[in-house]
Amino acid sequence: MCLIAFAWHSHPRWRLLLAGNRDEFHARPSTALARWDDAPITGGRDLEAGGTWLGVTESGRCCVVTNVRDPRDPQLGVSRGLLATDYLTGSAGASAHAQELLRSAASYRPFNLLTFDARDAFYLGNRPESRAQAVTPGVHGLSNADFNTPWPKTRALMQHLQHWVDMGDDANFAPLFAALADEQVAPDEQLPDTGIGLERERRLSAAFIRGEAYGTRASTVVAIGHDGRGMIVERRFGPNGSFEGETMLRFADSSPT
């Protein structure tokens, strides 16, 4: 994923409400949202490395990963997509997993990771150093920088999500998908300087990126209730933002909460 906003324990129905966009080269092969045959995961699948950028389980666990934008980093190490599958197929809760991952986080390509279970949520990253922090209740955002870094598109999506929470809605996700589809480019004075040049900073400042070779491949909303029941909705896009389909899957917690 490249843009995420989520509400953690701040909605009467949903313990987690997450909205995010996956931006990627269109030529990189992946599968659509589905229940995996070989693992207890529901999510899309990167066919190049075998992992996922966002996934959930029937027990109400969720994990999402982004890269870190730094053209000076050699991007060496274990695929960050495996971080999500390892958490979702493992038995450790978010807290225990965070402490365990800290020991090997430096061996992965630059990443930001969010993990959620029935009780806890954690942010983990490995640039510039490995670190982990518990997520507090409220609305948070993440892109290709540190947790809650106020990039314009991250801040805007957080505001949309906060408004959705404040309105008391619980099932109409159309406003969230509309926010994820926003192609507004941020003013130059608000752009971060991540070393990729002004023209690319402008292009990547929109929530939804439309391009022939690179752009937004999927917009996803995850909603997990306090009872563990939930749903995940994915809208997929091809080159130049062409709509390729939508999938909605429900899941139910099979363990006591």
Side-chain angles (χ1 to χ4, degrees):
M1 304 294 280
C2 289
L3 174 62
I4 301 161
F6 67 94
W8 175 245
H9 280 284
S10 58
H11 189 278
R13 179 178 180 183
W14 307 116
R15 74 170 180 239
L16 173 65
L17 195 289
L18 183 149
N21 277 345
R22 178 197 180 216
D23 303 332
E24 183 55 87
F25 287 99
H26 291 290
R28 183 164 180 140
S30 61
T31 62
L33 170 68
R35 291 184 172 90
W36 295 14
D37 293 331
D38 57 347
I41 295 173
T42 296
R45 194 166 200 167
D46 175 28
L47 297 180
E48 188 170 299
T52 187
W53 52 93
L54 185 155
V56 300
T57 69
E58 287 293 322
S59 61
R61 288 156 66 95
C62 178
C63 189
V64 58
V65 63
T66 81
N67 67 0
V68 177
R69 189 193 303 170
D70 184 352
R72 299 161 297 184
D73 195 295
Q75 299 285 321
L76 300 176
V78 183
S79 171
R80 57 187 152 255
L82 299 178
L83 289 163
T85 55
D86 287 348
Y87 171 70
L88 293 170
T89 58
S91 59
S95 179
H97 168 268
Q99 299 309 310
E100 181 178 346
L101 180 57
L102 279 177
R103 294 196 290 267
S104 60
S107 65
Y108 289 85
R109 296 172 192 173
F111 73 83
N112 293 310
L113 186 73
L114 293 168
T115 58
F116 306 90
D117 63 21
R119 296 180 56 188
D120 300 307
F122 270 79
Y123 161 78
L124 300 101
N126 69 343
R127 293 295 188 277
E129 70 281 325
S130 298
R131 63 205 182 282
Q133 70 179 76
V135 174
T136 57
V139 172
H140 302 274
L142 181 64
S143 186
N144 303 119
D146 203 355
F147 188 45
N148 283 328
T149 296
W151 284 3
K153 65 180 180 181
T154 311
R155 187 171 61 246
L157 186 58
M158 289 171 63
Q159 290 170 349
H160 284 293
L161 180 54
Q162 184 66 67
H163 178 70
W164 190 91
V165 170
D166 292 342
M167 291 294 291
D169 209 339
D170 67 357
N172 178 21
F173 301 136
L176 300 180
F177 278 111
L180 292 171
D182 186 5
E183 298 184 50
Q184 180 67 43
V185 173
D188 286 355
E189 63 272 16
Q190 296 181 17
L191 295 175
D193 181 4
T194 61
I196 61 173
L198 181 59
E199 183 177 348
R200 289 186 67 198
E201 295 285 12
R202 287 170 177 159
R203 182 167 175 259
L204 297 181
S205 71
F208 189 94
I209 300 170
R210 188 183 299 269
E212 178 65 32
Y214 179 90
T216 299
R217 297 275 304 270
S219 296
T220 307
V221 171
V222 176
I224 302 176
H226 296 285
D227 60 358
R229 299 178 183 274
M231 66 186 77
I232 178 170
V233 187
E234 177 188 83
R235 293 181 179 177
R236 295 177 294 281
F237 306 93
N240 296 314
S242 58
F243 181 70
E244 293 190 338
E246 176 175 323
T247 302
M248 189 274 284
L249 294 173
R250 297 182 183 274
F251 51 91
D253 192 354
S254 58
S255 60
T257 57

